Amino acid sequence: MLARQLSAGALRKGPALSFRQKNAFAFPRALAVRNASTASSSAFESFLNSRITLASVTLFTAGSVAWYTHLYGSLPFLSEVHASHASDEGLHPPDYPWPQKGLFDTFDHASIRRGYQVYREVCAACHSLDRIAWRNLVGVSHTADEARAMAEEVEYQDGPNDEGEMFMRPGKLADYMPGPYPNEEAARAGNAGALPPDLSLMTQARHGGANYVFALITGYVDPPAGVEVREGMNYNPFFPGGAIGMARVLFDGLVEYEDGTPATTSQMAKDVVTFLHWAAEPELDERKKNGIKAVILFSTLTLLSLYVKRFKWTPIKNRKILYDPPVDKKH
Amino acid sequence: MAFANTLYNTFFRRNSIFVPTIFAGAFAFGIGFDTGVTAFFDHWNKGKQWKDIRHKYVEAAEEE
């Protein structure tokens, strides 16, 4: 109701207003109508057209450019020539269609199981995984018996015993995954000075996450012409700088999957990255379920509050205030 | 109107009934909502979760 009256009024007022604007440019003072309904718009017009506004906007623009130049050392919107090349930052990885990618999607747990096998047989030769315990695998990729059997194959130091001596015992479910090296120095010494990073949080620790790790371990190529890679380094366009200490390790048929999946390079890479993604984000399922719940609850509450607002405001918005003039007694 | 009266007389009249009704309702809603969302999540991810593939490995372990 109110909206209709407003729009009708605006339509009626439209031509008159434009006429007044035309004249306002020519004789701003003379034709300024002292009328309550138009005073604000003509004041706004004169504010927009004033020299002070022009000067202050110019000053603001010049100041912004100067500030930007001072802060970043270069003028905005002007490209520059750099000695470095964008490829030195590493290629951006493609966006892969992971099974866990969607809003409601969880990990493919068969893939996690295969990925653990790849990690154990290939990656674990150099990379530790020291935030994952054997018990974490239970109910995710292995049964409790399987995990216990795997843990018992590893000897852990424990103690001290009654005589104050440390002793070795087979692993338990509560033990964490053993690393390939006793300390960082040993890891560097075994890898020509390069430290193989711990993989527990790797998909969270690199830009691009799982996409980056997959692109990296499948992205080894010969260096392009003009790029020299030092002895003992390998060229990988996805690695910042291009030269990476790790060589390509995944080749077709490197492992033999127990479920008969063909062990191609990309299949193994996908499985091990899925495993590492789970290792870095084991809470993914709970997080996504909580997200579903939050969206449902909050959208319901939003709709409810919008309805209540309209319900309460309807009589106020639709009321009509009538002016009943006093009866003119006498002149 | 009869329904509203019944509702009022049953739940809203006494605070000693009103408050426990709210608490019990919140509890029941929490469980029901969680069950519903989990059911949807399991349906959406059918075949991907550990509970869907567990039987393969448990049987294999028993045979050994």
Side-chain angles (χ1 to χ4, degrees), chain A residues 128-145:
Chain A
S128 57
L129 192 71
D130 55 16
R131 281 157 205 268
I132 300 296
W134 297 105
R135 61 182 163 78
N136 295 129
L137 299 178
V138 176
V140 173
S141 61
H142 294 76
T143 62
D145 291 338

Side-chain angles (χ1 to χ4, degrees), chain A residues 245-268:
Chain A
M246 183 173 94
R248 178 180 168 178
V249 284
L250 291 182
F251 294 93
D252 288 352
L254 190 61
V255 303
E256 194 168 334
Y257 286 133
E258 57 183 354
D259 59 2
T261 307
T264 60
T265 302
S266 54
Q267 178 70 43
M268 286 185 288

Side-chain angles (χ1 to χ4, degrees), chain A residues 54-65:
Chain A
L54 180 67
S56 54
V57 166
T58 308
L59 200 65
F60 177 75
T61 309
S64 310
V65 171

Side-chain angles (χ1 to χ4, degrees), chain A residues 7-329:
Chain A
S7 62
L11 277 179
R12 258 202 323 276
K13 223 174 281 177
L17 200 66
S18 64
F19 172 73
R20 202 173 291 133
Q21 275 168 350
K22 256 180 235 159
N23 285 332
F25 279 105
F27 313 102
R29 293 267 169 102
L31 278 185
V33 183
R34 316 294 297 176
N35 189 322
S37 64
T38 55
S40 66
S41 82
S42 79
F44 184 65
E45 288 282 327
S46 61
F47 168 73
L48 272 190
N49 295 328
S50 74
R51 280 160 193 269
I52 295 179
T53 307
L54 180 67
S56 54
V57 166
T58 308
L59 200 65
F60 177 75
T61 309
S64 310
V65 171
W67 182 52
Y68 183 96
T69 310
H70 172 71
L71 191 62
Y72 297 108
S74 64
L75 286 168
F77 309 119
L78 293 177
S79 56
E80 293 181 343
V81 177
H82 289 285
S84 63
H85 190 261
S87 68
D88 291 345
E89 313 289 334
L91 281 186
H92 287 189
D95 208 8
Y96 293 108
W98 297 102
Q100 67 270 22
K101 192 180 168 197
L103 282 179
F104 307 137
D105 290 328
T106 183
F107 295 111
D108 181 358
H109 283 241
S111 184
I112 294 180
R113 188 181 171 101
R114 293 194 297 268
Y116 172 75
Q117 187 186 348
V118 175
Y119 167 76
R120 180 53 59 203
E121 294 182 14
V122 182
C123 312
C126 297
H127 289 277
S128 57
L129 192 71
D130 55 16
R131 281 157 205 268
I132 300 296
W134 297 105
R135 61 182 163 78
N136 295 129
L137 299 178
V138 176
V140 173
S141 61
H142 294 76
T143 62
D145 291 338
E146 287 172 326
R148 203 171 282 121
M150 289 191 295
E152 283 168 359
E153 290 171 11
V154 185
E155 291 248 301
Y156 285 86
Q157 193 184 41
D158 202 351
N161 60 8
D162 293 343
E163 281 118 40
E165 287 165 2
M166 307 301 277
F167 58 91
M168 302 300 281
R169 59 157 176 79
K172 299 183 288 191
L173 279 182
D175 286 315
Y176 282 78
M177 300 259 171
Y181 300 104
N183 50 52
E184 184 185 327
E185 284 72 16
R188 286 190 186 278
N191 290 285
L195 174 69
D198 184 74
L199 295 182
S200 307
L201 298 170
M202 191 43 68
T203 64
Q204 302 261 51
R206 296 289 181 273
H207 286 291
N211 290 324
Y212 165 76
V213 181
F214 182 90
L216 186 80
I217 57 185
T218 56
Y220 285 93
V221 290
D222 291 333
V227 174
E228 277 189 32
V229 178
R230 279 189 294 134
E231 185 66 29
M233 303 288 271
N234 303 276
Y235 182 76
N236 193 316
F238 294 98
F239 192 71
I244 183 171
M246 183 173 94
R248 178 180 168 178
V249 284
L250 291 182
F251 294 93
D252 288 352
L254 190 61
V255 303
E256 194 168 334
Y257 286 133
E258 57 183 354
D259 59 2
T261 307
T264 60
T265 302
S266 54
Q267 178 70 43
M268 286 185 288
K270 177 240 176 186
D271 289 339
V272 78
V273 171
T274 305
F275 171 70
L276 293 177
H277 196 172
W278 164 79
E281 284 182 83
E283 81 289 355
L284 181 119
D285 290 9
E286 283 306 310
R287 186 159 57 76
K288 289 191 173 174
K289 276 189 228 174
N290 283 343
I292 298 170
K293 287 185 205 169
V295 168
I296 293 175
L297 285 182
F298 284 131
S299 50
T300 310
L301 291 177
T302 305
L303 291 176
L304 204 63
S305 62
L306 287 175
Y307 166 75
V308 170
K309 185 259 170 188
R310 290 192 75 145
F311 182 75
K312 295 287 186 192
W313 275 83
T314 297
I316 299 172
K317 289 222 177 198
N318 287 314
R319 73 186 170 183
K320 202 175 214 173
I321 299 176
L322 290 180
Y323 176 60
D324 197 4
V327 180
D328 197 359
K329 294 289 187 206

